[in-house]
Every structure is written in C-alpha cells, then in structure tokens.
Amino acid sequence: MTNRCFSLLTALLLLIATATADNSQAWWGYWNSSMGTDVQTTLSGGQTNCYVRLVAPNDLLTGTSLHGVRIYLSDKTAVTGVKAWASVGAVNWTSAQPDRQQKEAAAADLRDVNNDGQATEVIFDEPIDILPANNRYASIYVGVLISVDATLAAQHPCQLLSASKEQSVPNSCFIANADRSGSQGPLALQLLVSGGQLGATSVSPQLAEQPMLIAGDAATLQLGMRNDGLQAVESIDYTVSVGAHTVANAHADLPSPIDELGATFSVSLPVNMPTEAALHDLTVSVTRVNGVDNLSDTPQASTPQVLLQQYGLKRAVMEEYTGTWCPNCPRGDLGLHLLDSQFGDRFIGISIHHDDPMTTPDYDTSPAKLRFLDGYPSCAIDRLIACDPYLGLDLFAKEFLTDRVVSDALQHKVEADVAVEAAWEADGHTITAQAATTFWYTAATAHHQLAFVLVADGLTGTEKGWEQYNPYSGATDWDEPMQPLVESGRYLYGPYDHVAIDVAGIDNGLQGSISLPLTCGKAQTYVQRFDTSDNVLVQDPDRLSVVALLIDTVTGQIVNAGKAHVTGSEHSGIATATLEGAKGLTAPHLYRLDGRAVSPASKGLVIERRADGSVRKRLQ
C-alpha cells in the first residue's frame, strides 16, 4: 500500500512538474494559428534563411529568454537539414556564423509526414536572453537555415507557409538565399520564450474601431482580445461600459484554448445600448483569466463608440477622372449617366477633366484625386474605393458593373445628413450655396469639414480639344448599356455633363465649415460663394449645380454629400446657350451622340434639343 501511495505521489509530482514546465514557456510569432495559412514561397534547392529581427521595446518579449524555433513546411521530403540560429550581429544571408547559438534539427524531425503545416521544432541547448529591459536599442536576429536537395525538390516541392495575405504584417519576417531577398511578411515561424514580464494568465483587450449604432438598441459587440501570458487562455471575465453606463459584466468560455503568445481571439457580447445619442467611450476591462486574476499590464482598453438618434440618408459620390484626349474615356461619361438613371438623387457624379478645355486645375492636381488616380478613365467612390467608372472592379469585363460598387457604398451607415441650396445673386456673377449639415449625435469633438464643387452640364465647344474619340463605335463584344456608344460615330463632340468647373476645400474640406460642439438633430449651416465672372465654363446659367461633400478629415473619406441645382438664372446676365439650327423647334428633337437623329422610341443615351434651343443628354 505504501509503495502504491509513493508511486501515485511520484506520478502526481511528475504531472505537476510537467504542467509547470509547459506553462512556463509559450510559442510567439508574427504568425499564429488563429491567422490561417497561405503558401509563401517554394524552395527550389540550396540553402534558404528565414528569420525575424526583434527590436526593443517589444511589449511582450522584452526581458524574455529564447528556448527554440519552429517553422512550418508543407513537404519535407526534399529537406536535408534545418538549423536554428540566433545572432545579435547583422545577418549576411547564408554565409554568416551566428554569434549566439545554432542547433541542427534531429534527423528524425525531418522525415516526410505528408501533412501540410507540420511544425519542425529546434530547441537550443541553452536558453538565450533577448531584448534586455534596460536597453531600448537592443535587437536580435532569430531564424532557421533550411537546406533542400534540388533533385528531390523537383518532384517534392517544399513550401514555406505564412499568414493569409489579408493578415500580413509588413517587415515582420525575411527570407534570403542566392536568388531571393527582402521582406516577405509573416512566415509561419515561431519562437519559444519564457520569463521577462510574462505572467501565467494575461489577456489584454484589442479594440478595433466600432460601427455606429442606434442609441437604445440591442446590439452585439465583437471584442478583440490578445493572449499576453504563458498559459493557454480557456476563459475570461470582463466588464463593458459605454460612457458612464456599465452595460455588461460577462464571462466567456472559449471554444478552444488560445495557447500561443500574442495570439488574438474575439468574443461576442449582446448588450442594450444607452439611450443617449452621443459620442461615448467604449471601455473593456478583463478582470480574470481561467478563473484567476488577470496579470496583464494593459487589462483595459477604450475606443470611440458613436450612438445615433437615426442614420443619415446616404448618397454615394463618384469622382470620375477623364479627358477628351483619352480614347477609352467615353465609357466613363456613359457610366455616370447610367448611374444617374439607376440611383437618382442617391448618386452624385463629378467629372474631373485633365488636360482639355474643361480642366479645373485645383481639382485636377489635388492630392485627393492623385491618391486614387489609376490612369484614365478611372474613378473613386466616396474616396474609399478606386474602380473603373463603367467596369467597376473587373477591368477585364466588357459589361456595366460599377452599379454594384455604388450599391455597396449606399449600404454604409452615416452619421449626418447634408442638404444644399444654391442660387445666383443679383450681381449677375456670384453663386451662393448654403449647406445644412445635421449630425444625429452630440459630441464635443469631431473631424468633419465641408468641401464644395460647382458642376456644369451641357458643355460644348468647337475647338479641337472638345473632340472625343470613340473606340467603341461599331464594336460587337460589349453589353447592351454600351450600345449608345457602339451605335455612335468615331468622334463625339459633347455635350459634356457632370463637369467640375470650380471647387473650394476639395482636398480635406474648409476649416470652420463644421462647428463644434455637434448637437444631435440640430442643423448647422455654412455659406460658400463662387465668383463666375472669369469662368469661361459657365456656358448655361440654368445648367449648373453645387455639390457639398462632408469629409472625414482623418480618413479622407467622403462621409455623405448633397447636391442642388443653381436657381435664379435670370439674375446671371448670361444668355442660355443654343445650338445652330435649333431655334424654332416646337417639340424636343432627339439625336445620338454622333449627331444622327433618332425617333422618340429609341433606347439608350440620346441628346435632346428642346424648343427653347437648350440641349441636354437623356437616358431612355
């Protein structure tokens, strides 16, 4: 009996010792298993170095000890050696001798297991101290040298795995051999570490920007967390507050343990939001991990949370980049008209011309344009997505797809409404625009400003620069919406619509155009004036509009917008433009873009000459 008790006690002590040893070390890397994997590169033969450079201060690794390295290889049939190494000196690719340690993997660990993602681990003979806490300039290189038989690799390619592309971390891991060098992002390479400031149970909140929500509504929060401890995370206890309101004291059991140092995970939490429509702080505090105190140095995190009384009416803005010299740009003009017809006042199109008679220099050279310009034609939707004004996101298609991008943009929740009025002043050359912006929450701070664009329709000219080549004339491989251009001649002469002819604050808004504090539901107004006395692009005073853009000055994104026709043209003193031979018409006459007359039943984009001599484009 005594021997049996002794054996049980010995076994128990051994189990405790093993558990303690396991909990004193953890695997860390720029990649971890929560990220998913992707093929990074295929090793063709010879030697390849894969390494990370750790630089102090690293909030997790400062003062820790390094015990080993592991890397993930898809097929090790052709691998003849894996050597882990550490060095505080510069790495000279494969020829450098590390000044700390190097250790060859056991041959048994290199056998082919025919299992993608199987880890190869190398443990050093002695632990290595890394990134001392008292030296903020310290750095160390840690990596593996992989040797591959070129003959075997031809039949059994060995691939290095990394984090999925959308989770890449710039400059986090490097690979180099005789043929390859440079940053490769987060290879699935991990370090076994212990000590330092690492506690056994440690979790820190990692809060991303939160979506806008309606005050008083039930909502489900997605809260990010990070394992900063040496022990696998199985459960957490945490509190959540929104402003001065504690909305939850919660416990979460994780579906599977998080056992890698620095690995992230998320928890979902249904809550009832406070009823005050305002800018709040969303604060999360993790109090316990696995039922014991959270030892993290950063157990609490906060991020802004906007609660709205209601959502604003979203309008999508397309800034189209074009020029009459550009052979493919007619599809951009057609795309604007199609979107106008499909979305009505929920869509605002602005055509920014380059190097032709309709160029507005302040817009054409603005950083806001150059940030998204990708040749001609191209466009930006809400200064958030770059695409083609006709093809959308598929540049190899031959069909109208931009409406899908605009539809997605209209799903974005917005915090404010923008309404615009514009009119000619009695002096005959000044246009006064007034924008009323209504925010649906209260806040002492905000990062919004207004920009204004004066837009003209129906522009025409007789000089060479007004002539637009049409490469789509007679084409047989385009979709039905392209038919107005297919059925037109090789050259088009306008009229040109949606053209930006003057701007104010176009890059990041006008300072002072939004006043603080924001008051929920209270419209604030701003007046902008345009002097048209020297603007040769004001051809028809009755065919002008003003667009007001509400810009987020931090992200540069157009949050929302409004547009208004300029009224009171009788004050402008500018005669309405007419076309030769158009006077005396008693009913509208319709023409294709190349000037050929068509019947009222004709489908597609047509030019309408009205009885008063004015001209406009119309989609039938």
Side-chain angles (χ1 to χ4, degrees):
M1 183 67 176
T2 302
N3 290 338
R4 183 179 180 185
C5 289
F6 180 79
S7 298
L8 289 174
L9 180 60
T10 302
L12 180 59
L13 291 173
L14 180 60
L15 180 61
I16 293 174
T18 302
T20 302
D22 290 342
N23 290 336
S24 66
Q25 300 175 355
W27 289 101
W28 171 92
Y30 287 111
W31 173 91
N32 60 66
S33 57
S34 65
M35 291 182 176
T37 57
D38 196 1
V39 172
Q40 181 67 36
T41 189
T42 300
L43 304 179
S44 57
Q47 290 187 317
T48 300
N49 240 334
C50 305
Y51 63 93
V52 291
R53 184 190 182 201
L54 309 176
V55 180
N58 182 303
D59 62 340
L60 289 179
L61 299 189
T62 297
T64 59
S65 295
L66 171 67
H67 297 268
V69 186
R70 72 180 176 190
I71 196 163
Y72 292 78
L73 304 170
S74 63
D75 187 337
K76 292 181 280 192
T77 302
V79 177
T80 59
V82 174
K83 181 183 295 184
W85 56 267
S87 176
V88 294
V91 177
N92 186 18
W93 308 128
T94 60
S95 61
Q97 291 298 315
D99 55 19
R100 286 299 180 92
Q101 277 201 54
Q102 55 183 332
K103 178 68 180 293
E104 190 82 28
D109 291 337
L110 299 180
R111 63 183 182 277
D112 177 33
V113 293
N114 293 316
N115 182 7
D116 286 357
Q118 180 72 25
T120 297
E121 299 179 5
V122 185
I123 306 300
F124 294 122
D125 294 330
E126 298 290 339
I128 304 168
D129 293 334
I130 55 177
L131 304 184
N134 61 351
N135 185 354
R136 63 191 181 99
Y137 301 105
S139 68
I140 187 171
Y141 297 86
V142 181
V144 291
L145 178 63
I146 305 170
S147 300
V148 174
D149 183 285
T151 302
L152 289 174
Q155 297 296 321
H156 301 276
C158 178
Q159 295 171 328
L160 294 171
L161 301 185
S162 72
S164 300
K165 288 183 175 65
E166 64 271 14
Q167 305 204 42
S168 63
V169 181
N171 301 316
S172 59
C173 197
F174 299 82
I175 179 173
N177 59 18
D179 305 314
R180 190 185 297 110
S181 64
S183 173
Q184 297 292 306
L187 289 177
L189 183 151
Q190 296 176 306
L191 313 181
L192 185 62
V193 297
S194 68
Q197 301 300 312
L198 300 175
T201 55
S202 179
V203 169
S204 62
Q206 306 287 300
L207 300 183
E209 181 180 357
Q210 299 297 302
M212 291 176 291
L213 300 170
I214 298 298
D217 274 7
T220 299
L221 300 177
Q222 298 293 330
L223 306 174
M225 305 286 175
R226 185 180 72 181
N227 177 23
D228 290 352
L230 296 170
Q231 202 174 85
V233 180
E234 299 179 356
S235 69
I236 60 171
D237 293 274
Y238 60 103
T239 62
V240 178
S241 62
V242 178
H245 307 275
T246 298
V247 297
N249 288 294
H251 173 86
D253 292 310
L254 305 187
S256 58
I258 306 298
D259 59 359
E260 293 164 311
L261 182 62
T264 56
F265 60 98
S266 65
V267 294
S268 297
L269 179 68
V271 298
N272 291 316
M273 285 295 174
T275 58
E276 181 186 0
L279 173 62
H280 301 272
D281 279 333
L282 171 68
T283 302
V284 177
S285 299
V286 180
T287 56
R288 296 174 72 80
V289 180
N290 301 340
V292 300
D293 288 346
N294 182 17
L295 302 179
S296 172
D297 290 336
T298 54
Q300 179 176 296
S302 296
T303 191
Q305 175 67 69
V306 176
L307 299 183
L308 302 175
Q309 179 178 309
Q310 65 184 57
Y311 293 120
L313 178 65
K314 170 63 179 173
R315 293 183 177 88
V317 177
M318 173 192 281
E319 295 172 290
E320 180 225 9
Y321 315 129
T322 186
T324 57
W325 52 268
C326 162
N328 292 316
C329 283
R331 72 169 183 255
D333 180 70
L334 178 58
L336 283 175
H337 283 89
L338 292 169
L339 293 167
D340 246 350
S341 176
Q342 182 172 341
F343 296 103
D345 69 356
R346 299 289 303 280
F347 171 79
I348 296 174
I350 303 173
S351 187
I352 301 104
H353 280 251
H354 172 71
D355 200 24
D356 69 22
M358 290 167 281
T359 300
T360 298
D362 288 347
Y363 212 152
D364 183 43
T365 60
S366 71
K369 170 192 170 181
L370 300 178
R371 185 156 56 101
F372 289 95
L373 178 66
D374 187 21
Y376 294 86
S378 60
C379 70
I381 308 294
D382 293 335
R383 296 186 184 173
L384 181 64
I385 299 174
C387 66
D388 184 275
Y390 190 89
L391 306 174
L393 297 174
D394 187 353
L395 299 183
F396 297 99
K398 289 204 169 183
E399 57 181 318
F400 179 56
L401 297 173
T402 312
D403 57 340
R404 301 181 184 182
V405 186
V406 173
S407 293
D408 288 344
L410 289 174
Q411 302 307 309
H412 292 179
K413 308 298 184 185
V414 293
E415 61 267 41
D417 283 308
V418 180
V420 184
E421 295 179 350
W424 285 99
E425 293 295 328
D427 64 9
H429 61 82
T430 302
I431 294 172
T432 297
Q434 178 174 281
T437 308
T438 304
F439 288 89
W440 294 110
Y441 68 105
T442 296
T445 61
H447 40 83
H448 302 80
Q449 300 291 352
L450 291 169
F452 292 84
V453 186
L454 182 60
V455 176
D457 291 329
L459 297 185
T460 60
T462 57
E463 295 87 355
K464 181 69 174 177
W466 291 85
E467 180 182 82
Q468 172 74 67
Y469 178 69
N470 174 28
Y472 309 106
S473 177
T476 59
D477 53 350
W478 284 86
D479 61 345
E480 178 62 28
M482 183 63 84
Q483 292 310 299
L485 293 178
V486 170
E487 296 174 9
S488 296
R490 283 292 178 185
Y491 292 93
L492 308 173
Y493 300 93
Y496 299 95
D497 296 336
H498 310 98
V499 180
I501 63 171
D502 201 357
V503 295
I506 197 60
D507 288 323
N508 220 24
L510 295 165
Q511 190 69 31
S513 56
I514 296 297
S515 301
L516 297 176
L518 307 181
T519 302
C520 180
K522 181 180 179 180
Q524 54 173 281
T525 60
Y526 184 83
V527 174
Q528 173 63 35
R529 291 181 172 85
F530 291 99
D531 183 354
T532 69
S533 53
D534 296 324
N535 195 328
V536 297
L537 293 176
V538 180
Q539 296 182 353
D540 184 344
D542 196 40
R543 304 205 63 191
L544 301 176
S545 300
V546 173
V547 176
L549 307 174
L550 182 63
I551 298 175
D552 184 321
T553 60
V554 172
T555 65
Q557 180 181 348
I558 297 173
V559 174
N560 211 350
K563 180 178 180 179
H565 173 70
V566 180
T567 61
S569 60
E570 65 274 10
H571 298 302
S572 70
I574 303 173
T576 300
T578 60
L579 294 185
E580 184 179 352
K583 293 183 179 180
L585 298 177
T586 58
H589 281 51
L590 304 180
Y591 301 84
R592 285 287 187 210
L593 297 181
D594 62 354
R596 290 183 295 161
V598 295
S599 71
S602 178
K603 299 297 183 183
L605 186 64
V606 298
I607 299 174
E608 176 185 306
R609 290 181 178 174
R610 303 180 194 175
D612 63 2
S614 63
V615 180
R616 72 183 183 97
K617 290 181 184 176
R618 191 173 84 194
L619 189 67
Q620 301 198 124

